[in-house]
Amino acid sequence: MPGGFGNGGDAEEEVVKNRFLGFLLWQSVQSTVLYFLCKSLLLSPFAPNPFTPSIPGCFAFITFHLSLLLFSASLFAVASPQPHTPASPLELALGLVRAVFVSGGPPPPPEFRRRARISLTFVLFVASSALSGFLSLISLCWNNFGDSVGQKYYWRLLGTLGFRGLAFGFFYGLCYLYKKRWVLQFPIIQRPPFFSFKMGLPSASLQALKLSTAAYFFSAVLSLLLPYKFKGQVTMGKVLVEHIIFYMAVFVIFLCWELNHHLHQVLHTKRFIFAPAKGSAAAETNPSEPLLAGLEESIPRSLMQYLAYLDLCMVCESNVDAWRRAAFFEETGETYKRVITICLRPLEQFASKLGEGLESSSSGKSFQLDHQLRLPTDSRLSSRLHELFDDFQLCVWCARIVASLTIHSHKEDRFGVAQLSGSNSAVISTLLSCLLAVETFMGKKNSLQSSLGSAGIKWATASTGRREAAVIGLAAGKRRGSPLHSKAYCMADVLRTSIYYIVSGFHDEMLTSAKAGLLDKEWITSCKPVYGSRELLLHKLRLFLDFQAN
């Protein structure tokens, strides 16, 4: 769920609220336009006196907007910049039994409470989608199913429209969660909101057409289970007309939902500039403080933290806000070290957890027997490692940020803080460790045998578990076409590009260090890497230096 800042971040916390209010305003405008277009163009031939104002018509219009307001609020509640894993029904059942029958015991762990809240949010979203479908379909088609107002008519109205609206709303909610469309997708190229919204209209219309067709058949099958009094007696011609009305109304509702989803994505992933006004006193004294506050004080993995990383990435890669990037290289070097530390931390955590996952999967005496009994496409192994790529977007931004800052320090760092603080060696070592971990996960074997002779054979003998991890990585990460493999491939590509970016900028300096035998001292950190060994990192860096790493 979108979060805000801790202490001192009240102004920035208002950004999420203002964007949500703007989202509600614009979705009401587009929904009003679609409502009147549907009533006047599509459903007017099937309604008596379609252009005559009436109190029931006004009430139906208000109900339609309330149903979309309910859907939009649930959409905002379930949205997150990072994928989450909800608690399974068995875990929820065990937790409920423990809470009811075991008194005086320890409270549930925080991780279980967090996953239980996510599960509750998902359930409420599906329920809200079903209720929104129920209300919106009735309010849109209430006067298109005949002109009688008897009791049988209202039973048929609830059965034909209400139940089927409830069914396709439930169907939409399940599909939305299953495809993880609630995860905010930050665009690679930031465009103006209106242009981004306009570009998504064709895809939203096509998606609404597909969903309305699938929901039509899904609700039609379920409507066969209705009792007789909800169906009534109608002629074949009227049945055909009702099916046409129902399909057009469902398409309009799905179009409203898809446009709301697209508008929500556009407004909440728009760049927010964490900087004081240019020319103000704060811009002259400490222009980086709002950005550092957004990175350090916001709730971890919240929307505000993602927006801060996005803003930092665009500052580092472009020359539009060169004055903000120049402020990172101030004389004391504290700002630069804080930025590099903040961006290296997610990469270090990713490489460490991925290495631990690979090592734990390959450890134990029963590894070979367990590996023989398991199919290469066993989903259990993939599910254990899948959560490690939840920070994919954040790690991609961090790799691009540290690479860009390192390159710009070559010309913009007047005080040499990047080199003197050891940030350059930390950046190269962390990027190489992440790349080795991802390549191992994908099944690639990184070996020192080609460059170290007998020493390489000794290393390979001592790293049997690492080779077994490569075999497991090949089974779990090399399934072509899977989302996990796509993320791992993209991550490796970004890391490789970032390292090449740095090597190309410092190629002459690295060659001089390599000839003097100082490459490892100047460009590899002296402490133990988060993944791999210093020898392996040096071997990998030499491959990049020779432009042979692929």
Side-chain angles (χ1 to χ4, degrees):
M1 185 180 298
F5 282 79
N7 297 329
D10 295 338
E12 285 79 5
E13 189 178 10
E14 293 296 322
V15 174
V16 179
K17 297 180 181 179
N18 292 336
R19 290 189 176 188
F20 176 61
L21 293 177
F23 162 65
L24 294 181
L25 174 64
W26 286 110
Q27 72 87 18
S28 63
V29 172
Q30 69 179 16
S31 301
T32 301
V33 173
L34 289 176
Y35 179 86
F36 284 111
L37 288 178
C38 177
K39 296 293 288 185
S40 59
L41 298 181
L42 299 180
L43 300 180
S44 58
F46 307 100
N49 302 321
F51 302 105
T52 303
S54 62
I55 295 179
C58 295
F59 181 75
F61 175 74
I62 296 174
T63 304
F64 181 78
H65 274 285
L66 290 178
S67 67
L68 292 181
L69 178 63
L70 174 64
F71 176 80
S72 300
S74 63
L75 191 69
F76 174 77
V78 78
S80 170
Q82 182 189 40
H84 295 308
T85 304
S88 63
L90 180 60
E91 291 176 335
L92 292 175
L94 292 177
L96 182 62
V97 170
R98 190 182 299 111
V100 173
F101 296 100
V102 179
S103 59
E111 179 64 19
F112 172 78
R113 294 198 298 268
R114 183 186 68 86
R115 296 179 63 188
R117 285 195 298 268
I118 294 173
S119 300
L120 179 61
T121 305
F122 286 175
V123 171
L124 292 178
F125 174 77
V126 175
S128 300
S129 300
L131 182 58
S132 178
F134 175 85
L135 294 175
S136 57
L137 189 61
I138 290 182
S139 60
L140 199 61
C141 304
W142 67 274
N143 62 338
N144 297 101
F145 276 63
D147 52 358
S148 58
V149 293
Q151 183 178 6
K152 293 183 179 180
Y153 170 74
Y154 289 113
W155 281 119
R156 286 195 60 246
L157 193 66
L158 290 176
T160 306
L161 292 179
F163 179 78
R164 297 183 74 172
L166 199 71
F168 79 72
F170 180 79
F171 166 81
Y172 182 87
L174 291 181
C175 292
Y176 193 88
L177 295 179
Y178 176 75
K179 294 185 178 181
K180 293 186 176 181
R181 301 183 63 195
W182 45 274
V183 180
L184 297 175
Q185 301 293 333
F186 292 84
I188 299 176
I189 300 176
Q190 289 283 325
R191 299 184 178 93
F194 177 76
F195 183 78
S196 299
F197 179 75
K198 183 180 67 173
M199 292 294 292
L201 291 180
S203 60
S205 302
L206 182 60
Q207 183 72 9
L209 184 62
K210 294 179 180 178
L211 288 172
S212 59
T213 304
Y216 170 79
F217 290 105
F218 175 75
S219 60
V221 172
L222 291 181
S223 64
L224 298 177
L225 306 177
L226 285 173
Y228 175 78
K229 66 178 181 179
F230 287 100
K231 300 178 182 179
Q233 295 181 350
V234 291
T235 62
M236 286 298 298
K238 184 173 290 188
V239 169
L240 180 61
V241 171
E242 289 181 356
H243 280 288
I244 295 174
I245 295 173
F246 175 77
Y247 185 82
M248 290 189 298
V250 169
F251 171 75
V252 172
I253 295 172
F254 272 133
L255 184 59
C256 289
W257 288 357
E258 285 298 310
L259 291 179
N260 287 356
H261 162 75
H262 179 57
L263 181 65
H264 182 271
Q265 291 272 344
V266 169
L267 294 182
H268 285 81
T269 59
K270 182 180 64 174
R271 180 191 178 188
F272 176 73
I273 300 177
F274 291 78
K278 195 172 182 180
S280 61
E284 297 294 334
T285 56
N286 196 359
S288 303
E289 192 57 35
L291 179 59
L292 293 174
L295 293 169
E296 296 176 339
E297 299 179 15
S298 57
I299 299 174
R301 305 306 186 262
S302 65
L303 176 59
M304 288 307 302
Q305 191 180 62
Y306 270 71
L307 291 175
Y309 274 105
L310 174 62
D311 183 49
L312 176 59
C313 184
M314 299 187 71
V315 169
C316 295
E317 290 187 338
S318 65
N319 292 322
V320 177
D321 297 324
W323 64 279
R324 295 180 59 192
R325 187 175 64 236
F328 297 154
F329 302 102
E330 44 89 17
E331 185 175 2
T332 63
E334 292 298 325
T335 303
Y336 185 83
K337 288 188 289 186
R338 286 174 66 184
V339 172
I340 293 296
T341 302
I342 291 170
C343 294
L344 288 184
R345 189 179 300 121
L347 294 173
E348 292 172 351
Q349 294 175 353
F350 170 77
S352 177
K353 291 180 181 180
L354 185 57
E356 291 175 0
L358 292 173
E359 290 295 341
S360 62
S361 300
S362 61
S363 61
K365 297 181 179 180
S366 62
F367 163 75
Q368 294 196 9
L369 178 60
D370 183 62
H371 181 64
Q372 291 174 1
L373 294 177
R374 253 191 259 173
L375 293 174
T377 58
D378 188 10
S379 59
R380 290 179 296 173
L381 178 61
S382 177
S383 62
R384 284 185 296 178
L385 299 176
H386 198 284
E387 295 181 7
L388 298 177
F389 286 86
D390 286 348
D391 289 335
F392 167 76
Q393 179 66 83
L394 207 60
C395 291
V396 167
W397 282 337
C398 290
R400 292 164 54 184
I401 289 169
V402 295
S404 299
L405 279 180
T406 304
I407 285 297
H408 286 295
S409 69
H410 194 267
K411 296 181 179 180
E412 301 178 10
D413 186 8
R414 297 176 299 169
F415 305 102
V417 296
Q419 189 68 31
L420 295 176
S421 62
S423 299
N424 289 351
S425 59
V427 167
I428 286 290
S429 300
T430 304
L431 292 178
L432 288 172
S433 296
C434 286
L435 180 61
L436 289 173
V438 174
E439 288 181 345
T440 303
F441 172 76
M442 297 179 66
K444 183 177 181 180
K445 296 183 179 180
N446 294 283
S447 174
L448 293 174
Q449 297 179 14
S450 58
S451 60
L452 296 181
S454 60
I457 298 175
K458 180 180 180 181
W459 175 87
T461 304
S463 302
T464 306
R466 188 64 53 83
R467 290 202 312 271
E468 292 172 347
V471 176
I472 290 188
L474 180 63
K478 247 195 160 182
R479 292 187 292 171
R480 302 289 179 178
S482 65
L484 192 59
H485 175 268
S486 300
K487 285 187 177 181
Y489 185 87
C490 293
M491 179 71 75
D493 185 62
V494 170
L495 293 170
R496 200 176 294 114
T497 303
S498 300
I499 298 173
Y500 267 127
Y501 190 30
I502 299 175
V503 169
S504 300
F506 290 88
H507 192 260
D508 295 338
E509 291 87 342
M510 287 186 176
L511 281 180
T512 304
S513 300
K515 291 178 182 179
L518 301 175
L519 187 63
D520 57 336
K521 294 182 179 180
E522 295 182 359
W523 291 97
I524 303 296
T525 183
S526 58
C527 58
K528 186 180 184 302
V530 291
Y531 186 83
S533 61
R534 295 188 74 250
E535 292 78 10
L536 184 56
L537 264 61
L538 179 61
H539 170 61
K540 195 72 173 178
L541 181 58
R542 289 183 182 275
L543 293 178
F544 277 98
L545 194 58
D546 296 334
F547 297 98
Q548 294 181 358
N550 50 35

PDB file of all heavy atoms in Angstrom, residues 40-52:
ATOM      1  N   SER A  40     -26.754   7.197 -24.321  1.00  0.00           N
ATOM      2  CA  SER A  40     -27.335   7.921 -25.454  1.00  0.00           C
ATOM      3  C   SER A  40     -27.102   7.230 -26.792  1.00  0.00           C
ATOM      4  O   SER A  40     -27.928   7.342 -27.698  1.00  0.00           O
ATOM      5  CB  SER A  40     -26.757   9.338 -25.512  1.00  0.00           C
ATOM      6  OG  SER A  40     -25.344   9.291 -25.657  1.00  0.00           O
ATOM      7  N   LEU A  41     -25.995   6.499 -26.945  1.00  0.00           N
ATOM      8  CA  LEU A  41     -25.675   5.881 -28.229  1.00  0.00           C
ATOM      9  C   LEU A  41     -25.928   4.383 -28.266  1.00  0.00           C
ATOM     10  O   LEU A  41     -26.492   3.877 -29.244  1.00  0.00           O
ATOM     11  CB  LEU A  41     -24.198   6.156 -28.577  1.00  0.00           C
ATOM     12  CG  LEU A  41     -23.799   7.632 -28.750  1.00  0.00           C
ATOM     13  CD1 LEU A  41     -22.327   7.735 -29.106  1.00  0.00           C
ATOM     14  CD2 LEU A  41     -24.658   8.301 -29.821  1.00  0.00           C
ATOM     15  N   LEU A  42     -25.549   3.653 -27.223  1.00  0.00           N
ATOM     16  CA  LEU A  42     -25.640   2.195 -27.257  1.00  0.00           C
ATOM     17  C   LEU A  42     -26.966   1.669 -26.724  1.00  0.00           C
ATOM     18  O   LEU A  42     -27.571   0.764 -27.312  1.00  0.00           O
ATOM     19  CB  LEU A  42     -24.476   1.586 -26.457  1.00  0.00           C
ATOM     20  CG  LEU A  42     -23.063   1.903 -26.959  1.00  0.00           C
ATOM     21  CD1 LEU A  42     -22.025   1.244 -26.067  1.00  0.00           C
ATOM     22  CD2 LEU A  42     -22.891   1.451 -28.401  1.00  0.00           C
ATOM     23  N   LEU A  43     -27.443   2.206 -25.599  1.00  0.00           N
ATOM     24  CA  LEU A  43     -28.613   1.631 -24.938  1.00  0.00           C
ATOM     25  C   LEU A  43     -29.897   2.411 -25.184  1.00  0.00           C
ATOM     26  O   LEU A  43     -30.971   1.960 -24.767  1.00  0.00           O
ATOM     27  CB  LEU A  43     -28.362   1.567 -23.417  1.00  0.00           C
ATOM     28  CG  LEU A  43     -27.157   0.724 -22.980  1.00  0.00           C
ATOM     29  CD1 LEU A  43     -27.033   0.738 -21.464  1.00  0.00           C
ATOM     30  CD2 LEU A  43     -27.286  -0.708 -23.490  1.00  0.00           C
ATOM     31  N   SER A  44     -29.816   3.553 -25.836  1.00  0.00           N
ATOM     32  CA  SER A  44     -31.031   4.337 -26.062  1.00  0.00           C
ATOM     33  C   SER A  44     -32.062   3.628 -26.944  1.00  0.00           C
ATOM     34  O   SER A  44     -33.279   3.791 -26.717  1.00  0.00           O
ATOM     35  CB  SER A  44     -30.672   5.695 -26.677  1.00  0.00           C
ATOM     36  OG  SER A  44     -29.959   5.532 -27.892  1.00  0.00           O
ATOM     37  N   PRO A  45     -31.671   2.810 -27.960  1.00  0.00           N
ATOM     38  CA  PRO A  45     -32.710   2.124 -28.746  1.00  0.00           C
ATOM     39  C   PRO A  45     -33.509   1.094 -27.956  1.00  0.00           C
ATOM     40  O   PRO A  45     -34.586   0.681 -28.392  1.00  0.00           O
ATOM     41  CB  PRO A  45     -31.905   1.446 -29.862  1.00  0.00           C
ATOM     42  CG  PRO A  45     -30.637   2.219 -29.956  1.00  0.00           C
ATOM     43  CD  PRO A  45     -30.347   2.630 -28.558  1.00  0.00           C
ATOM     44  N   PHE A  46     -33.004   0.678 -26.784  1.00  0.00           N
ATOM     45  CA  PHE A  46     -33.679  -0.378 -26.029  1.00  0.00           C
ATOM     46  C   PHE A  46     -34.401   0.157 -24.796  1.00  0.00           C
ATOM     47  O   PHE A  46     -34.870  -0.626 -23.967  1.00  0.00           O
ATOM     48  CB  PHE A  46     -32.645  -1.425 -25.567  1.00  0.00           C
ATOM     49  CG  PHE A  46     -31.799  -1.958 -26.677  1.00  0.00           C
ATOM     50  CD1 PHE A  46     -30.506  -1.472 -26.880  1.00  0.00           C
ATOM     51  CD2 PHE A  46     -32.278  -2.932 -27.536  1.00  0.00           C
ATOM     52  CE1 PHE A  46     -29.721  -1.964 -27.908  1.00  0.00           C
ATOM     53  CE2 PHE A  46     -31.495  -3.425 -28.562  1.00  0.00           C
ATOM     54  CZ  PHE A  46     -30.214  -2.936 -28.754  1.00  0.00           C
ATOM     55  N   ALA A  47     -34.484   1.476 -24.654  1.00  0.00           N
ATOM     56  CA  ALA A  47     -35.111   2.052 -23.465  1.00  0.00           C
ATOM     57  C   ALA A  47     -36.248   2.970 -23.865  1.00  0.00           C
ATOM     58  O   ALA A  47     -36.129   3.718 -24.849  1.00  0.00           O
ATOM     59  CB  ALA A  47     -34.078   2.838 -22.648  1.00  0.00           C
ATOM     60  N   PRO A  48     -37.375   2.942 -23.137  1.00  0.00           N
ATOM     61  CA  PRO A  48     -38.462   3.881 -23.408  1.00  0.00           C
ATOM     62  C   PRO A  48     -38.106   5.265 -22.864  1.00  0.00           C
ATOM     63  O   PRO A  48     -37.651   5.413 -21.719  1.00  0.00           O
ATOM     64  CB  PRO A  48     -39.640   3.273 -22.617  1.00  0.00           C
ATOM     65  CG  PRO A  48     -39.002   2.474 -21.529  1.00  0.00           C
ATOM     66  CD  PRO A  48     -37.714   1.975 -22.084  1.00  0.00           C
ATOM     67  N   ASN A  49     -38.302   6.283 -23.691  1.00  0.00           N
ATOM     68  CA  ASN A  49     -38.005   7.669 -23.313  1.00  0.00           C
ATOM     69  C   ASN A  49     -36.587   7.814 -22.761  1.00  0.00           C
ATOM     70  O   ASN A  49     -36.375   8.188 -21.599  1.00  0.00           O
ATOM     71  CB  ASN A  49     -39.015   8.177 -22.272  1.00  0.00           C
ATOM     72  CG  ASN A  49     -40.438   8.083 -22.777  1.00  0.00           C
ATOM     73  OD1 ASN A  49     -40.716   8.346 -23.955  1.00  0.00           O
ATOM     74  ND2 ASN A  49     -41.353   7.704 -21.882  1.00  0.00           N
ATOM     75  N   PRO A  50     -35.559   7.479 -23.562  1.00  0.00           N
ATOM     76  CA  PRO A  50     -34.185   7.478 -23.031  1.00  0.00           C
ATOM     77  C   PRO A  50     -33.657   8.872 -22.701  1.00  0.00           C
ATOM     78  O   PRO A  50     -32.758   9.001 -21.874  1.00  0.00           O
ATOM     79  CB  PRO A  50     -33.382   6.843 -24.167  1.00  0.00           C
ATOM     80  CG  PRO A  50     -34.173   7.134 -25.407  1.00  0.00           C
ATOM     81  CD  PRO A  50     -35.614   7.125 -24.993  1.00  0.00           C
ATOM     82  N   PHE A  51     -34.182   9.914 -23.319  1.00  0.00           N
ATOM     83  CA  PHE A  51     -33.633  11.254 -23.120  1.00  0.00           C
ATOM     84  C   PHE A  51     -34.500  12.106 -22.194  1.00  0.00           C
ATOM     85  O   PHE A  51     -34.319  13.319 -22.117  1.00  0.00           O
ATOM     86  CB  PHE A  51     -33.476  11.971 -24.463  1.00  0.00           C
ATOM     87  CG  PHE A  51     -32.594  11.222 -25.425  1.00  0.00           C
ATOM     88  CD1 PHE A  51     -33.155  10.538 -26.495  1.00  0.00           C
ATOM     89  CD2 PHE A  51     -31.215  11.188 -25.241  1.00  0.00           C
ATOM     90  CE1 PHE A  51     -32.343   9.847 -27.390  1.00  0.00           C
ATOM     91  CE2 PHE A  51     -30.408  10.498 -26.129  1.00  0.00           C
ATOM     92  CZ  PHE A  51     -30.967   9.821 -27.202  1.00  0.00           C
ATOM     93  N   THR A  52     -35.436  11.466 -21.495  1.00  0.00           N
ATOM     94  CA  THR A  52     -36.298  12.184 -20.557  1.00  0.00           C
ATOM     95  C   THR A  52     -35.719  12.085 -19.154  1.00  0.00           C
ATOM     96  O   THR A  52     -35.539  10.975 -18.639  1.00  0.00           O
ATOM     97  CB  THR A  52     -37.719  11.597 -20.573  1.00  0.00           C
ATOM     98  OG1 THR A  52     -38.237  11.658 -21.907  1.00  0.00           O
ATOM     99  CG2 THR A  52     -38.620  12.367 -19.622  1.00  0.00           C
TER     100      THR A  52
END
